[in-house]
Amino acid sequence: MTETVFFYCFAALAVAGAILTVTMRNAVHCAISLIASLGGVAGLYLMLHAEFLFAVQIVLYIGGIMVLFLFVIMLVNLEAAARERQFHRSWVGGLLCAGGTGAMLAWFWLRGAGTLRLPPAVQPTPREGGNVESLAMVLFRDYLVPFELASLLLLVAIVGGVMMAKKRI
Amino acid sequence: MLAPVTTAHYLVLSAILLLIGVVGILTRRNVIVLMMSIEIILNAVNVNLIAFARNLDQLEGQVFAIFVICVAVAEAAVGLGILIALFRNKETVQVDEIDLLKW
């Protein structure tokens, strides 16, 4: 019962924040709405017993990426952009495309609801050391090579970001 | 009395977030808002992955969500760098005014 109430609260926060992000005029307001949306998604992670990802979402997304976004918003002067048109000339087409995708998803969902049977959620097995330790075991033992490749990707991204943003190399 | 939350609830929420992100990408003109819409879409993917990880009681879904976050960070860093370079040269952040490669 309480779980359901919390789910709807966090889901409403996530969806409302996302809607405000794509509709607000000022980019700073968009960023703040996106922070609210990410916070709602973080709450959902906590409800799904993903405590480590909850912390990562708060620290990395809200604390890292969104601050980077806000820095860039301060760097590029958006006063002029806020006064202009906010939507494409062909925004109706874009809306129709997204609505078509949504209608297709809903149609498949309604048609396939009988055949698509998700297995009922099993009780989470209590793991020794909690979520963080068991996640570390999976990440560093079974997925070590992808982990190292991800660190390589981050290195390339650091170099690429500096190369792009610097005036003269 | 409210029905208990199932995995299907999370899947529907994820689809809604995905559609909002797609609407943002297809209709907005501001490049920064476009990149925020991409973040919304990646978050929708993460909700999906973690909901299935919870449903099947396996941790692989959470590991993949970590990789998705990793790619999102790299994308945001490089994308914002490109945006700064673009603003330095064109003095605009509106995507329909950046048409140098358009035929």
Side-chain angles (χ1 to χ4, degrees):
Chain A
M1 179 64 197
T2 36
E3 199 192 338
T4 314
V5 173
F6 271 105
F7 171 79
Y8 282 113
C9 288
F10 287 134
L13 186 62
V15 171
I19 289 175
L20 285 178
T21 303
V22 300
T23 50
M24 292 287 247
R25 175 168 280 273
N26 191 334
V28 179
H29 297 166
C30 292
I32 291 170
S33 321
L34 185 55
I35 288 174
S37 175
L38 295 176
V41 174
L44 292 176
Y45 290 170
L46 202 54
M47 288 181 57
L48 286 166
H49 299 274
E51 289 88 2
F52 179 67
L53 274 154
F54 165 75
V56 165
Q57 177 92 354
I58 299 279
V59 172
L60 216 146
Y61 253 109
I62 300 179
I65 298 183
M66 291 320 294
V67 171
L68 187 65
F69 266 100
L70 284 170
F71 265 125
V72 172
I73 290 171
M74 300 301 165
L75 278 181
V76 301
N77 187 9
L78 288 175
E79 293 286 318
R83 265 182 267 114
E84 283 187 44
R85 259 180 323 115
Q86 291 302 309
F87 296 96
H88 274 292
R89 216 166 283 111
S90 54
W91 64 273
V92 181
L95 215 55
L96 281 179
C97 286
T101 312
M104 202 172 70
L105 279 177
W107 190 66
F108 279 125
W109 182 271
L110 292 177
R111 285 272 312 224
T115 49
L116 173 83
R117 280 197 204 294
L118 298 172
V122 283
Q123 277 302 314
T125 44
R127 291 185 171 86
E128 194 187 346
N131 175 256
V132 178
E133 192 177 325
S134 42
L135 196 60
M137 286 305 279
V138 177
L139 189 60
F140 293 130
R141 196 181 52 199
D142 303 339
Y143 290 88
L144 186 61
V145 178
F147 179 78
E148 294 297 338
L149 285 178
S151 59
L152 187 67
L153 173 77
L154 285 178
L155 183 66
V156 173
I158 292 170
V159 176
V162 172
M163 282 284 284
M164 283 297 165
K166 201 159 159 45
K167 204 175 271 178
R168 264 188 213 88
I169 306 296
Chain B
M1 205 64 186
L2 289 165
V5 180
T6 60
T7 307
H9 285 76
Y10 288 99
L11 299 190
V12 171
L13 175 75
S14 157
I16 292 171
L17 282 178
L18 174 87
L19 286 176
I20 294 171
V22 169
V23 168
I25 285 184
L26 289 179
T27 59
R28 287 299 295 255
R29 290 176 77 216
N30 194 327
V31 182
I32 295 179
V33 181
L34 253 66
M35 294 184 63
M36 289 184 200
S37 306
I38 296 175
E39 301 294 332
I40 294 176
I41 290 180
L42 290 170
N43 257 282
V45 173
N46 275 349
V47 170
N48 222 329
L49 284 172
I50 296 175
F52 274 112
R54 165 76 188 83
N55 193 342
L56 303 172
D57 194 25
Q58 288 178 348
L59 284 172
E60 273 80 2
Q62 297 187 19
V63 172
F64 271 83
I66 289 176
F67 288 136
V68 169
I69 288 176
C70 192
V71 172
V73 171
E75 174 259 340
V78 177
L80 290 172
I82 291 175
L83 178 61
I84 289 176
L86 201 65
F87 187 76
R88 190 177 293 138
N89 291 319
K90 296 274 291 182
E91 291 285 324
T92 182
V93 287
Q94 314 285 12
V95 278
D96 48 0
E97 291 171 20
I98 303 163
D99 49 4
L100 205 63
L101 287 178
K102 220 174 187 176
W103 185 49

